Amino acid sequence: MDFYQADPTLENYWRGVILFGRNVASYKFALAHALYEVDKSGSDLVTLEELAVPFSRHLCQHLLHAPKQITSRGSQFLDTCVQFNNGELTQDTLTETTVRLGFNNVIDAFHNVNAGEIEKRFFLDERKTHKGIRLTDNFYQLSVRQQYQNLAFETNARWNLVEQAWAMGVSRNLVAIEFDEQEKLLFSHVNTRRVNITSCRDSLNGYQKGRCFYCFKPISLVPGDTELADVDHFIPWKARDEVANINGVWNLVLSCQCCNRGKAGKSSHLPSRKLLQRLHIRNEYFIQSKLPLHETIVNQTGTQPAQRIDFLESNWARAKNNILFHIWEPKAEGEATF
């Protein structure tokens, strides 16, 4: 996988952990959220007791709507979180149990991606010597980067997607992720009931490394921001009668507002073949990220890379030939990183 190797910024190493790390429990996401809340003006040593409060709070909040937070049969720590949610335990008891049980594996495994440790560490394990972790310069540098404000949105979106996959049992029932154009949400169905999963923007942004799919200008996930990303159909909606499942995740990208709606923007034009190759690379990131977008993309486009390339090529050609689109490509606003 060349996700962060091709663009070795700190935010992309962090995204490597969140998007591509192994998911056997949701503790990694809770730890990431706890780190977002750390007082960055204080000591670089963060004790387990300091981490325990935001770490357990995020897990307790997610347990309210998603009881399955781990792939093993049970967890004494999660049982404690449930008891706290039920009003059976105090905050002090929850914090003490979190310090004792909550960090046993997640601190060791946090930096592991694809059976190896990433090159940039964001904290050092000092539990044995100082009862906590020590933040590295990498983390402090990350926290002042332009993309930092997007990472919490991306982390929560990834957490929601993994929860839904576990809830539906992806080994038995492939997760079909669909897109609601009006609400900009990804959703699925449980039997006949629609289940809203998460924001489409927040789910896609990390795989595009926080940049417009077309011109690579930085984009934002913060509501109300002037650079808030648009969700766009790569093959335009106008071709919906020619292209099956045009609303599928495989065809959704995030765009800056200039590329999507500007005077020289894409509008209802068809992106070039060069951009079609970029779409294939982006979709392969989904597949490397495993559940549940892996299952969704494979189900929509093919089980093998050659099949997926052919799927994109044939749909692009069908749209071009039958709708007679003008071919469009933007002026680059940043270095191409995929």
Side-chain angles (χ1 to χ4, degrees), residues 12 22 26-27 38 58 60 68 71 117 183 197 224 259 315:
N12 288 337
R22 188 177 175 215
S26 61
Y27 297 176
V38 163
H58 284 283
C60 287
K68 192 171 180 60
T71 55
E117 185 172 300
E183 298 184 30
I197 301 174
C259 280
N315 279 295

Side-chain angles (χ1 to χ4, degrees), residues 107-120:
I107 288 177
D108 292 329
F110 187 83
H111 293 94
N112 291 343
V113 180
N114 287 344
E117 185 172 300
I118 60 173
E119 296 174 8
K120 305 289 186 182

Side-chain angles (χ1 to χ4, degrees), residues 10 44 121-122 134-143:
L10 290 172
D44 58 357
R121 288 193 68 95
F122 296 99
R134 192 171 299 276
L135 304 177
T136 65
D137 287 344
N138 289 332
F139 183 78
Y140 286 104
Q141 291 171 23
L142 175 70
S143 70

Side-chain angles (χ1 to χ4, degrees), residues 235 239 242-243 270 273 313-327:
I235 297 178
E242 307 297 329
V243 176
L270 186 65
R273 277 187 176 273
E313 290 276 1
S314 60
N315 279 295
W316 186 89
R318 188 177 299 114
K320 175 178 178 291
N321 295 333
N322 291 348
I323 307 296
L324 301 177
F325 282 114
H326 292 292
I327 302 302

Side-chain angles (χ1 to χ4, degrees), residues 72 142 215 229 293:
S72 60
L142 175 70
C215 74
L293 292 178

Side-chain angles (χ1 to χ4, degrees), residues 152-184:
F153 294 100
E154 295 171 21
T155 301
N156 208 49
R158 180 67 184 150
W159 192 346
N160 291 338
L161 284 163
V162 170
E163 285 173 344
Q164 185 61 16
W166 285 342
M168 297 182 71
V170 292
S171 61
R172 302 184 303 277
N173 181 14
L174 294 182
V175 178
I177 306 295
E178 302 176 59
F179 173 58
D180 185 310
E181 169 75 32
Q182 185 172 357
E183 298 184 30
K184 299 295 185 288

